[in-house]
Amino acid sequence: MSDISLEKFTEEIRAKVGADSGLKATIKFVFADNQVLYIDGESTPNTVDNTDRPAKCTVKVSLDDFAKMAAKKLDPTTAFMTGKIKIEGDMGVAMRLGKLFS
């Protein structure tokens, strides 16, 4: 997928998160080459950027698999069970992510 870019996904997730995502937590996606997508669901309004800072939940995933989840071509639970996603920190926060991919 040549159209995969961190900037594109940052904009898409920012639009999905909106002013209040309901996450009530911070979450960080870490991709290859230490690229980061950070969602601050505790701030008002919520913010989405590419700053690497501590989060309650960190999700390690390839940008390609993230793209598949965003396009609904890969189920996040299946990705986790098959090792395509690694989660560190608060698993409860990770469980709330489903609405971003629905």
Side-chain angles (χ1 to χ4, degrees):
M1 292 186 188
S2 59
D3 63 340
I4 295 176
S5 74
L6 181 60
E7 293 76 23
K8 175 186 169 198
F9 286 120
T10 301
E11 288 303 317
E12 287 180 7
I13 295 299
R14 188 175 286 134
K16 286 186 179 191
V17 166
D20 185 4
S21 63
L23 285 175
K24 309 274 187 251
T26 53
I27 188 156
K28 174 171 60 173
F29 292 90
V30 179
F31 308 107
D33 303 323
N34 290 321
Q35 293 181 309
V36 172
L37 176 68
Y38 188 92
I39 302 171
D40 185 345
E42 294 178 329
S43 67
T44 304
N46 290 181
T47 58
V48 178
D49 59 39
N50 303 113
T51 306
D52 188 359
R53 56 191 185 267
K56 287 186 178 171
C57 180
T58 300
V59 178
K60 294 182 179 181
V61 60
S62 73
L63 200 53
D64 187 50
D65 285 335
F66 185 82
K68 289 176 185 173
M69 286 190 298
K72 298 181 182 79
K73 294 180 180 173
L74 176 63
D75 177 67
T77 304
T78 301
F80 176 74
M81 298 302 245
T82 58
K84 292 183 178 195
I85 294 177
K86 297 200 178 358
I87 298 173
E88 298 172 358
D90 189 337
M91 187 66 92
V93 173
M95 300 302 284
R96 287 184 243 153
L97 282 174
K99 65 177 128 191
L100 289 181
F101 295 105
S102 59

